[in-house]
Amino acid sequence: MENCLFCKIIGGVIPSTKVYEDETVYAFRDINPQAPTHVLVVPKAHIADCNGINTENAAVVAHIFEVIPAIAKAEGLEGGYRVVSNCGADAGQTVQHLHFHILGGKQLSLEMA
Ligand code: AMP
Ligand code: ZN
């Protein structure tokens, strides 16, 4: 997707602070952190949002949920963390490439962060 911000980050066209990478998943620090640890985990293949998850691509989403606890452990989030995915305008989704926020490092409120 040539006009997708996160596809450009995955491709290295736009710089990011990498936290984790494998064949199908990329994770990087959010540019506007809402908590002491704020990491975004994305599939390398473009999926717009949760509504774009289907039988063909569900394996990468499952893999993301294997990777998330490993990232949380590496980030030292022993006290817990929150995983958030905003889907659509009412949720405040601003980047149309499926991503999972990992938030932690403080006592989180019931707001997103
Ligand atoms: P959402 O609002 O759920 O779509 O989340 C998009 C997230 O992407 C926000 O938390 C932004 O701070 C973050 N973001 C936007 N641009 C960048 C960037 N260039 N590098 C890292 N994070 C970004
Ligand atoms: Zn994309």
Side-chain angles (χ1 to χ4, degrees):
M1 294 290 286
E2 42 186 70
N3 259 334
C4 171
L5 174 65
F6 287 174
C7 281
K8 287 178 182 167
I9 284 177
I10 293 159
V13 178
I14 291 176
S16 65
T17 304
K18 179 166 82 173
V19 170
Y20 174 87
E21 182 175 17
D22 65 26
E23 271 185 22
T24 58
V25 173
Y26 189 73
F28 55 103
R29 298 204 186 279
D30 196 292
I31 204 168
N32 182 26
Q34 303 298 307
T37 295
H38 189 168
V39 172
L40 300 174
V41 190
V42 305
K44 286 187 171 177
H46 182 89
I47 301 171
D49 57 32
C50 288
N51 291 331
I53 300 169
N54 56 38
T55 307
E56 280 68 47
N57 62 28
V60 69
V61 180
H63 181 51
I64 283 173
F65 277 86
E66 290 181 325
V67 164
I68 284 172
I71 292 174
K73 188 172 184 190
E75 293 288 319
L77 302 179
E78 288 90 2
Y81 58 92
R82 181 170 293 157
V83 180
V84 174
S85 187
N86 295 317
C87 183
D90 280 1
Q93 183 180 6
T94 58
V95 180
Q96 314 310 313
H97 181 125
L98 180 65
H99 53 283
F100 296 89
H101 300 254
I102 303 175
L103 296 149
K106 70 172 186 180
Q107 182 65 58
L108 299 167
S109 73
L110 290 177
E111 305 287 316
M112 172 173 132

